[in-house]
Amino acid sequence: MLVPLVLLALPATFFDNGRPMCLSVILADMECYACGMTRATMHLIHFDFEEAWMYNKLIYVVFPIIAFLWAAEFFKEVKKIKAHRKATQATPKGA
């Protein structure tokens, strides 16, 4: 759940250098539709919209979906924690 916060703490250029980790590039020497998505995400969350677009244009479709799914999971976990706290407070001590 803390991954988005860790990514925000890292600089936008953290993943820009280095070898590609995509199996499509490694095995077939071809870029896939997801190539550059990590770098694009890093630039997008740091408000560097032009770089994000340059790395992968699909970021503007994929990122809102990922953000929604993360938020939904986050609120589901918060709800579980609240329910657990309520249940432990309702249980009499020594029971």
Side-chain angles (χ1 to χ4, degrees), residues 3 7 13 47 49 52 61 65-66 68 73 90-92:
V3 171
L7 292 178
T13 58
F47 304 106
F49 302 113
V61 174
I65 296 168
I66 291 171
F68 172 77
E73 192 65 30
T91 306

